[in-house]
Every structure is written in C-alpha cells, then in structure tokens.
C-alpha cells in the first residue's frame, strides 16, 4: 500500500481498496481518526484521499498505529480474495487500537 502524507492531507492507494467491504472498513477507520475529514475514493487509482484540518490530528498519536499497519501490510501486498477475512480482521484490530489511542467524540 502506498501512503502519501502532508499535514491536512492523507492519500493511500492499493488495488485492495477496490473491494467494497475492505474500502468501507478503511474509510471507517479514517473517520474514527478525524470525523471532520472530507473523504473521497477514486476508482481509477484505487485511492482514498482524506482532507482534514491539520491541527485536528495529532501525528504523534498516529505514529502509535504504525505497528498495526506493518502487521497488515503483507496481507495487503500479496492480497487474494482468500485473504479478505484476514485483511478485514487486521483493519478491525487497527480500529480497536484507534479507540485506545485517539479519544473518540
């Protein structure tokens, strides 16, 4: 998965996002991090763009999610439909971590 970050803007892209269930779970995780983010999905590049007020997200808190992203990354990199449940379980684990790390409104 490719991530591009600039304060106030995060784009991630990967063909796995073409799967509607995986994309919905990923979008939900991003909404948990920043509910006021404007989210868009572009099918042609299989990418999600989140535009948000930069001051609303604490980057130091987000860094705590890196181990969870690294854990799911091999499942995404070598994705086949047989791994869909594993990917969704990994995203669920990330969402649980978000609940612990980032205060929910």
């Amino acid at each position: 998965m490719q991530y591009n970050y600039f304060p106030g803007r995060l784009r991630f892209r990967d063909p796995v996002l073409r799967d509607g269930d995986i994309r919905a779970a990923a979008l939900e995780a991003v909404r948990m991090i920043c509910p006021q983010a404007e989210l868009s999905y572009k099918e042609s590049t299989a990418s999600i763009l989140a535009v948000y007020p930069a001051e609303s997200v604490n980057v130091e808190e987000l860094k705590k999610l890196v181990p969870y992203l690294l854990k799911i990354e091999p499942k995404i990199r070598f994705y086949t439909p047989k791994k869909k449940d594993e990917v969704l379980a990994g995203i669920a684990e990330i969402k649980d971590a978000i609940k612990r790390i980032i205060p929910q409104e």
Side-chain angles (χ1 to χ4, degrees):
M1 181 162 294
Q2 178 185 354
Y3 301 92
N4 297 32
Y5 168 76
F6 186 80
R9 209 176 146 91
L10 173 66
R11 180 181 301 276
F12 49 107
R13 72 179 76 205
D14 193 277
V16 73
L17 294 171
R18 288 195 171 102
D19 180 288
D21 295 331
I22 292 172
R23 181 175 58 251
L27 287 168
E28 186 178 342
V30 173
R31 280 190 193 97
M32 290 172 69
I33 293 168
C34 186
Q36 63 268 43
E38 293 179 33
L39 303 173
S40 60
Y41 171 69
K42 190 171 183 179
E43 179 67 29
S44 62
T45 58
S47 66
I48 292 173
L49 173 64
V51 179
Y52 57 91
E55 67 280 354
S56 67
V57 175
N58 181 337
V59 176
E60 291 306 313
E61 294 296 318
L62 288 182
K63 288 179 181 178
K64 296 175 185 176
L65 297 174
V66 170
Y68 299 96
L69 294 168
L70 292 174
K71 183 176 176 183
I72 194 175
E73 194 273 335
K75 296 171 185 143
I76 291 171
R77 184 176 343 137
F78 302 109
Y79 180 75
T80 66
K82 291 179 183 179
K83 294 183 181 178
K84 180 176 180 173
D85 289 338
E86 293 177 55
V87 171
L88 289 171
I91 295 171
E93 189 175 357
I94 291 168
K95 290 187 328 191
D96 287 341
I98 292 168
K99 289 177 190 174
R100 291 189 308 274
I101 294 168
I102 300 171
Q104 303 296 300
E105 296 176 4

